[in-house]
Amino acid sequence: NFPCGFAGVLAFDFVIDSLAPGGAADLSGQVHPGDTLVAVDGQYVDDMSGDDLANAILGPIGSKVVLNLERGSSHIAERAVIIRSAMSLLPHGPSSTRGAAFSR
């Protein structure tokens, strides 16, 4: 799974489908299924491929990643600062990168 511990499915936007139990995003309490990922470390994700997104999210264990999210249908802006943690390599879907699946 991603060091941030979420898996997403893309449908026009990167929407977080689920959180990896015990992953950094899950443990942070700042990221929730249904959140739409808007930016990673200030880089907007709307033109990113799944691989580009994975590269933006992945990083050294213990480093931080800043996720800009929209919450639910109200589009409330949220900023989550996640400290990356070690996660196992578990395939999740058609375009797996460390367990997070994204499809366009």
Side-chain angles (χ1 to χ4, degrees):
N1 293 333
F2 277 138
C4 285
F6 70 86
V9 176
L10 180 65
F12 301 112
D13 295 315
F14 284 101
V15 177
I16 297 171
D17 185 48
S18 62
L19 301 174
D26 179 38
L27 295 175
S28 77
Q30 300 176 74
V31 182
H32 306 282
D35 287 351
T36 300
L37 186 58
V38 176
V40 177
D41 287 333
Q43 297 178 355
Y44 288 98
V45 301
D46 52 351
D47 290 332
M48 288 186 184
S49 68
D51 288 340
D52 291 339
L53 179 60
N55 289 331
I57 291 174
L58 296 174
I61 294 169
S63 65
K64 72 176 181 176
V65 61
V66 178
L67 307 177
N68 293 88
L69 307 159
E70 286 185 357
R71 178 121 328 128
S73 60
S74 61
H75 302 288
I76 296 172
E78 298 285 338
R79 181 175 183 262
V81 179
I82 309 294
I83 304 301
R84 294 174 173 109
S85 64
M87 298 294 290
S88 62
L89 281 167
L90 297 172
H92 184 74
S95 178
S96 292
T97 305
R98 299 189 117 199
F102 300 96
S103 57
R104 266 196 203 250

